[in-house]
Every structure is written in structure tokens, then in C-alpha cells.
Amino acid sequence: MPEGSRGRGAGTPSPVVRRLAAVADCVTPLGWTVLALGVVGWAVAHWLGWREFAPLATVCLLLVVLCALFTIGRMPLRVGVEVTPQRVGVGTAAMARYELTNVSRRPVSSMGVELPVGLAAARATTPLLRAGATFDDCVVIPTARRGVVPVGPLRTQRGDPFGLIRRQVVWTDRMELLIHPAIVGIDGVGTGLLRDLEGQSTQDASVADMSFYALREYVPGDDQRHIDQKSTARMSAMAGKPTFYVRQFLDTRRQHVLVVVDVDPTAYDTDAEFEIALSCGASVTARAAQQDMDTSVICGRLRVVKPAQYGALDTYCRAAAAPVALPEAMGLRDEGLADASLAVVVTGRHTSFERLQRCRALLPGRVGMLVVRVSAGARIARRQIGGVVEVTVGSLADLPRVLREEGSA
């Protein structure tokens, strides 16, 4: 047999082994103890002739067999779990609701239900479910902190009255509750790009767009629908011969806002400052999304480029402090970020200006860069050095005012 075949066979248990392992998992520690007493009692009675141990062995083994009968058979249930809503802000109410319905014609005995929620688990015991009966319950999910809360999978347990055998069945997949960071409403961002809802004109000529540029003579291959009739008639009359002119436009491009949040813990004094930074980034992202602009987000090694609705804010739920330098994070840019028109970089008080300039060097010259520096308790401040506009906020509540002042500056 080839060596690779032996390795695969050794690493993959056979179906018989898997089934035996599943059966062994159903026996509780007390069940193993009773089973061991039965086996030892039978061995002592048979091999040593101590007949007094025979009744003990019989009772123990028979008890294990009878208890196993409580868990034999399928549970005819229809199980559903729903997290409502699936995305919330910090402090917003959220809950998980589950229901179990007996879809058979015979009653289903009482069973335990367990639904993991984060690091804890909600437990309940169902009553006797008659044919078609439903048991449902709700679990309130704490949302005091930003993050991702795993919910599920829902499990049921059936066991005997003595606790010797317990069978567990997994019914659902794991779900997630996404808790977005705190967000404040903002009116605008420094360069005013977030105010432009129609796109920004460029110097790239086009024959079909919204921004009129000039007229030029018709050349074979031009779309005849773009011939300007009035100009053609006037110029033909002046030239004394038919001369056709077509309209030429400037391309307009959809605004693309790139939000970069520094996740390097050395940039901040406390975890609270890091959370404020994430909230600042999320507030800018939400503002851009409300104005129907393309938005991309970079948080360390996490990045999303022009995601669908809620995709950008979901990134902040999964962000965590990590030793990823800010220039290194921005160095992860890809082709989808090449058309960014504004970069908003959120960092902490300890990030040097030299590091920010290295970040600026990674951006095309036409891209504006606004730095939001978080320093808990600090006063609002603003400065502009080397093509970088920097504002300082002491709390999330300062963000709307400092950006409003920056936009009017």
C-alpha cells in the first residue's frame, strides 16, 4: 500500500468507530460508573465464585439497558431559530427566538433545550409535546459592547430519570448577531467631497455623460445620436459646406470614500480610545452610505471594497486591536481602491506625523487625506501640514462639530 494511502486510512475513523464513539458520548460519568460496577460485579461473581455480587451486577447492567431505552428513536421535531434583528447598534435591544414543533402523531416526551449565546447558554425544559404542539421561547441578547455574538447551534437533550444516559442532538447552524459601534450623525467632511452627490468632473473626455465640455468635428465611427443639429447647421452655413459636429463631455465619477482605522494598540492610551476611533470611522462610513457613495473600509488586515449595504459597517464589528502598523494596513490596498477620491484615516494620539506622511505617500496625489486623531479628553484642534489635514477629537460627540468646522474652513 502506498504511504499516502496508509496516512489517509489512519487519519479517518471507520463508520463503525464513529458510531461507537457517538454511543459512548451519550453515557454520562454516572452511567459509566454504574456500568463499571455491573461489569466488575459480574466478573467477581463468575470468576471468584462470590455469588453475592451477581444480583448487584444484574441490577446495574439492567439499569443501564433500561435507561438507554429512553434515548432510542428519532425525535420528530421541526426546529427554527431566528435572531431579530441581525444587526443592531450598541445598546439596542436584540433577541433570539426559537421554537420546536412536534410534527408526528404521537406525543414527544419532555426534553432539555440549550441555545448558546456568546459565552453563555440559555437552557429550558419543554413540556410533553402532543401531536402538532409547539414550544417556543425568547432569549434577550446583551448588546452593551460592540462585536459579533454567536448564537447557536440549538441542541436538545433526552435522558433517563437517573441521569445515566443523555443523548444530544444538534438541530441548527450557528448564527451571528452583529453589534455595530456607536454612531453619530455628521454633516460633512473637510474637503466637502461628501456633499457632492452627483460625482466629480474629471479631465477625461467622453461622448456620453452629464458634464458638457466642447464640440468637435464628426469622425467616422462616432455615434450619430450625439450630432448637435443646431451647431452643425450654423457651422455649415458659415463654411458653405456640410460640416457635422458632435457634442463632447467630461466624465463624471462616483465619489469613493476610503475609511482607514488604525488598529495598532500602541497608537492609543486605552481600549476606550480605540472604541472611539472605531465609532468615528463607522460614523463617516454611515454618512457616506446615506449619501449613496461608494465606501471602502480598512481595519488592520480586515478590508472591504465597495461592499453591499451594511457590509462596510459589519467590518467594524469584527475589528480588533492587532499589531498592524497603519502604513502596513494601507499597503494592503488593491485595484478596487484605485479610484478613491477621499481617504479618512482615524488613529490615536501616539501616531507620529512621519507615519501619517508615509500613509499619504501611499495615496495618489489627487486623493485628499483627512486624519481624525482620537485623544480622550483633548480639545478640538485642527492643522494642515504637507497636504494632510488633521483634526483632533476628545470624544465621539466632538466629531460632528470638528468636521463641520473643517468643511467650512
Side-chain angles (χ1 to χ4, degrees):
M1 178 183 294
E3 182 178 352
S5 300
R6 291 197 301 269
R8 288 192 296 271
T12 304
S14 65
V16 175
V17 173
R18 290 198 299 267
R19 185 172 293 273
L20 291 176
V23 172
D25 288 339
C26 296
V27 183
T28 66
L30 179 59
W32 286 114
T33 301
V34 175
L35 183 61
L37 287 175
V39 173
V40 171
W42 179 85
V44 170
H46 181 73
W47 295 105
L48 300 180
W50 293 3
R51 302 299 179 185
E52 295 82 0
F53 283 87
L56 174 63
T58 303
V59 171
C60 291
L61 297 176
L62 185 59
L63 183 60
V64 172
V65 173
L66 292 177
C67 290
L69 296 178
F70 282 88
T71 62
I72 293 177
R74 295 180 178 273
M75 287 184 284
L77 298 175
R78 182 175 65 246
V79 179
V81 178
E82 180 183 13
V83 177
T84 309
Q86 292 186 339
R87 294 174 174 86
V88 297
V90 170
T92 306
M95 65 177 58
R97 180 178 179 272
Y98 63 88
E99 64 177 21
L100 295 82
T101 303
N102 180 7
V103 295
S104 69
R105 296 182 179 180
R106 58 182 178 82
V108 174
S109 60
S110 176
M111 71 190 75
V113 181
E114 182 180 271
L115 181 66
V117 177
L119 300 178
R123 295 179 175 86
T125 302
T126 69
L128 177 70
L129 294 179
R130 301 187 182 277
T134 298
F135 172 81
D136 58 13
D137 197 4
C138 294
V139 180
V140 177
I141 304 176
T143 59
R145 299 186 61 181
R146 169 197 64 87
V148 179
V149 180
V151 179
L154 185 139
R155 299 186 286 260
T156 59
Q157 297 97 18
R158 291 177 62 183
D160 60 273
F162 303 100
L164 304 185
I165 308 293
R166 181 176 291 108
R167 179 186 175 192
Q168 180 171 271
V169 179
V170 177
W171 292 93
T172 64
D173 296 328
R174 194 183 77 162
M175 306 175 67
E176 291 181 338
L177 171 67
L178 300 174
I179 306 176
H180 293 162
I183 293 175
V184 293
I186 58 179
D187 295 330
V189 172
T191 59
L193 289 178
L194 291 181
R195 298 180 185 274
D196 184 3
L197 306 183
E198 301 297 332
Q200 181 183 29
S201 295
T202 69
Q203 297 304 313
D204 299 330
S206 170
V207 296
D209 213 301
M210 298 295 293
S211 181
F212 177 74
Y213 174 55
L215 292 171
R216 63 172 176 81
E217 290 191 18
Y218 172 86
V219 295
D222 286 340
D223 192 338
Q224 297 182 4
R225 292 176 299 177
H226 297 298
I227 295 177
D228 188 284
Q229 300 295 337
K230 293 183 179 180
S231 300
T232 295
R234 183 170 61 254
M235 300 301 292
S236 297
M238 294 176 58
K241 61 179 181 178
T243 305
F244 296 94
Y245 288 85
V246 296
R247 296 183 295 271
Q248 196 170 20
F249 301 83
L250 288 179
D251 278 338
T252 58
R253 292 177 180 170
R254 181 183 177 93
Q255 293 297 342
H256 183 188
V257 180
L258 170 63
V259 183
V260 184
V261 179
D262 192 354
V263 299
D264 189 350
T266 62
Y268 307 93
D269 268 348
T270 62
D271 293 340
E273 284 189 350
F274 176 59
E275 293 298 326
I276 294 175
L278 289 174
S279 292
C280 290
S283 298
V284 174
T285 301
R287 171 66 165 83
Q290 289 171 0
Q291 302 300 330
D292 196 27
M293 298 179 184
D294 290 334
T295 309
S296 299
V297 176
I298 295 178
C299 294
R301 301 193 183 280
L302 294 177
R303 72 171 185 263
V304 291
V305 179
K306 301 179 183 179
Q309 187 179 19
Y310 298 116
L313 288 178
D314 290 349
T315 306
Y316 297 102
C317 302
R318 306 180 189 278
V324 181
L326 190 57
E328 178 185 352
M330 294 187 66
L332 296 174
R333 300 175 70 243
D334 54 27
E335 295 180 359
L337 300 174
D339 62 343
S341 50
L342 173 65
V344 179
V345 179
V346 186
T347 186
R349 67 176 76 192
H350 298 300
T351 301
S352 64
F353 190 74
E354 290 74 17
R355 177 169 290 189
L356 294 177
Q357 286 194 319
R358 287 172 55 194
C359 297
R360 182 67 186 89
L362 296 173
L363 299 171
R366 59 178 175 77
V367 178
M369 179 173 170
L370 174 66
V371 176
V372 179
R373 190 184 292 273
V374 177
S375 179
R379 293 184 177 182
I380 291 177
R382 177 188 181 275
R383 66 173 181 172
Q384 183 172 359
I385 304 177
V388 177
V389 178
E390 179 183 312
V391 296
T392 301
V393 297
S395 66
L396 179 60
D398 293 337
L399 185 65
R401 184 157 63 95
V402 72
L403 293 185
R404 191 182 306 116
E405 293 177 358
E406 168 60 21
S408 60

